[in-house]
Amino acid sequence: MDAKQAAKRLQALRDELNHHLYRYHVLDAPEIADAEYDALFDELTALEQQFPDLVTADSPSQRVGGAPLGEFQQVTHEVAMLSLDKCTTSDELQDWIVRCQGRLDQPDELSFTCEPKIDGVAVALLYEDGVLARAATRGDGQVGEDITANVRTVKSVPLRLTGSGYPARFEVRGEVYIPQQDFEAYNHAAAESGAKPMINPRNGAAGSLRQLDPKITAARPLTMFCYSLGWSDGSWQPQTHVEVIQCLQEWGFRVNPLLSEVADLEQCVTYVDDILAQRAELGYDIDGVVIKVNNLDQQQELGTVTRKPRWAIAFKYPAEEATTQIVNVEFQVGRTGAITPVARLKPVFVGGVTVSNATLHNMDEISRLDLRIGDWVMIRRAGDVIPQVVSVIDSKRPADAELVQLPTRCPSCNSPIVRPNDEAVARCSASHNVCPAQRKEGLKHFASRLAMDIDGLGDKLVEQLVDHGLVETAADLYRLQADTLITMERMGQKSADNLIAALERSKSTTLARFIYALGIREVGEATATGLANHFGAMETLQNADAEQLEAVEDVGPVVASRIVEFFADTQNVAVVTQLVALGVQWPDVAIKREQPLSGQTWVLTGTLEQMNRNQAKAHLVDLGAKVAGSVSAKTTQVVAGPGAGSKLAKATELKIPVMDEAAFLEYLQQHGIDTSQ
Ligand code: IVH
């Protein structure tokens, strides 16, 4: 290939690869498989190696990260990168709208846009003749740092624009961030390889962009939402923010699909509430909603004060992270005896509520965090998720910070705590029949919504009932009387009667719920459903051995052995029997019969002596087989009685297995078919 041909091929490869990067990273809608992309990419790099002069700035090969930098160059922003005024209530938002109206010549024409405020790092992208020429951080708003080499590695940032009509020189601004799932995956891998985990997605994004070696940045899962025009050479005169975003999208930038134009305060507030409700499902961290005046002339008219535009405001959501101090670490005993360390915190307002406990999962987590009692920590409460300790603030560690020790004995029943080497989880060695804490948790689980769904039997009440010795097993719940219940704290006649009625109602359940309610280790809701459908009856499940259990979908050796262990305990079996005697019942389950012959085609030929053709056929169909009238290459098995003729000959010719009637009867019996009738 000569240089001219190479240049042509390279151009085609660049266009094609950039198109696929766009489909994958901007639209999230790939058109080719990863391997196909890799093949094109390999062709590109091989050709570029052969013709190094033909490497262009928009080549996808430039995204893998070039040579390390000694330092970042400073960049003076042509137009300052501003920050935003904020509000936290609809009254404050209304004040802002009224102020905007008061300053405008034609306040009637005022409309707004709303979009999520991404919790990432602000970046300005300069394009010259459609090619990414420079990327810079915000810095102090006036002067930032040149991070072009790093931003090139962000696959959703176009190296060359698509479409037409973009200005020869212009700057686009947006937020670089790490999606939550990628963040989790990164930290998971970091934990495995011993690398330093990221504190949170925002911090991770900032740290990734600040790498002097772009190859490190290239390995980080960064992406970008573009949210505004920084400035342009004047050849493009959009009228509204919505138009800006539409054009940016056409030119290949990734923009937030949740951008919405709204007319008034009421619609702004609805948007703010909607996004707050979706916050946990967005897949990326946000800290609020940005509300902007849609009309760009009006934006101009409103102008800027002290580095904040008057035409935009951030409605801030409650922070999901806060710092506080560890007052103590206590150990809770779960339903299966698992010992979970729980951090008792100096109360702190986070994610919209006051939090005083955070889970620490297990001892490995405490070591990973290097957490001590007395430490200052960053905690996170996202959505309804249990608050987590994110990191320890080393610089604030008090001199008397105390190491956390796993207790040697169960705080509830004083039995030894064991920690088998292969497990991260420490456990109380006693059974739930001995350990009150396990018993309480087991009963809470039994009563829970997805299990027996006993309305009104809350955690506190379960604890009281166990502490007063009124309830030991799940069966005891159904022996409770209203006059005993009213002796409990905060329990009047009415709530006692209600609880008795709820207990009565809960007796009509399903086999799947009942199995789940038993709280067998490793048997969650889905497994319980699988077991119910497979075995159809409690007794069959109770008597199943490991091998029979493993025939159930998703049941492996571990789950099977937990189930066997559970029913090997005579107390557990006794409780099941008592529950049924007390009236717990469920409708029959239609067993989904195993279909060992599904996908097979059988042919019957000759005379059968022990049964007629139709009976034989019915048995085979029961086992899932198709019964055909003639032999072909698709036939799985032929059953041949005396007098078989051409079909048997054909089977022999095609080397299809043949069995006689005696073998067939034995086969059916092995598969649980009763052939006596
Ligand atoms: S518009 C005039 N839109 O919030 C400022 N900013 O306090 C124009 N941010 O660091 C900003 N998401 O990087 C805008 N959808 C969004 C945003 C957003 C996040 C950041 C921005 C800046 C900070 C402003």
Side-chain angles (χ1 to χ4, degrees), residues 81-85 115-123 138 174-175 227-228 287 290 292 307-309 311-312 314:
M81 288 183 81
L82 304 174
S83 59
L84 288 172
D85 227 348
E115 61 199 276
K117 185 170 187 298
I118 313 298
D119 201 4
V121 181
V123 168
R138 177 174 183 276
E175 201 85 351
Y227 54 61
S228 75
D287 51 1
V290 184
K292 300 174 185 171
R307 300 190 177 183
K308 286 174 187 163
W311 47 263

Side-chain angles (χ1 to χ4, degrees), residues 55 99 124 240 359-360 389 421 444 520 537 552 563 598 627 640 670:
V55 179
R99 283 201 302 276
T240 63
T359 177
L360 288 165
V389 175
N421 326 336
K444 290 177 195 170
I520 306 167
V552 181
I563 299 169
S598 63
V627 180
Q670 277 169 5

Side-chain angles (χ1 to χ4, degrees), residues 454-458 461 464-465 480-505:
I454 307 173
D455 223 17
L457 185 59
L461 185 56
Q464 280 191 66
L465 291 168
L480 285 169
Q481 307 282 331
D483 49 3
T484 342
L485 280 172
I486 48 174
T487 63
M488 297 292 103
E489 267 170 52
R490 283 191 300 259
M491 185 53 80
Q493 185 68 49
K494 182 130 197 280
S495 23
D497 289 344
N498 285 345
L499 181 54
I500 295 293
L503 279 160
E504 205 50 43
R505 271 198 309 278

Side-chain angles (χ1 to χ4, degrees), residues 55-267:
V55 179
T56 59
D58 68 338
S59 169
S61 66
Q62 302 308 295
R63 289 190 185 273
V64 295
L69 307 174
E71 58 173 358
F72 294 116
Q73 301 295 316
Q74 291 204 329
V75 172
T76 303
H77 296 297
E78 274 157 78
V79 172
M81 288 183 81
L82 304 174
S83 59
L84 288 172
D85 227 348
K86 52 175 177 282
C87 64
T88 53
T89 64
S90 58
D91 284 350
E92 289 170 357
L93 186 58
Q94 181 172 29
D95 292 347
W96 173 75
I97 292 178
V98 171
R99 283 201 302 276
C100 287
Q101 285 165 336
R103 287 179 174 273
L104 289 170
D105 273 349
Q106 283 166 314
D108 298 351
E109 283 162 26
L110 189 58
S111 81
F112 307 94
T113 60
C114 293
E115 61 199 276
K117 185 170 187 298
I118 313 298
D119 201 4
V121 181
V123 168
L125 308 171
L126 171 65
Y127 284 82
E128 290 177 342
D129 297 323
V131 176
L132 176 68
R134 191 186 67 200
T137 60
R138 177 174 183 276
D140 63 4
Q142 308 292 326
V143 179
E145 284 178 327
D146 184 332
I147 52 163
T148 316
N150 288 341
V151 170
R152 267 186 198 297
T153 70
V154 179
K155 306 236 180 29
S156 51
V157 172
L159 296 182
R160 170 182 288 282
L161 302 183
T162 52
S164 59
Y166 47 78
R169 271 191 104 236
F170 74 124
E171 192 186 84
V172 171
R173 294 178 180 174
E175 201 85 351
V176 170
Y177 70 93
I178 295 180
Q180 284 158 352
Q181 257 190 351
D182 294 329
F183 167 80
E184 300 293 339
Y186 180 89
N187 272 2
H188 189 77
E192 307 248 291
S193 71
K196 203 170 152 222
M198 295 173 178
I199 290 177
N200 58 32
R202 196 197 59 75
N203 208 279
S208 301
L209 288 177
R210 225 179 287 118
Q211 297 293 327
L212 285 167
D213 182 355
K215 289 207 167 56
I216 298 180
T217 312
R220 302 284 171 85
L222 298 169
T223 185
M224 181 172 188
F225 273 135
C226 292
Y227 54 61
S228 75
L229 171 67
W231 51 265
S232 90
D233 56 18
S235 60
W236 175 41
Q237 299 286 339
Q239 299 302 300
T240 63
H241 178 58
V242 168
E243 187 188 336
V244 168
I245 298 302
Q246 277 165 356
C247 289
L248 293 185
Q249 182 167 31
E250 274 164 32
W251 298 334
F253 293 98
R254 186 163 174 269
V255 299
N256 195 318
L258 296 173
L259 174 77
S260 178
E261 188 179 342
V262 300
D264 54 21
L265 174 71
E266 196 190 327
Q267 291 182 359

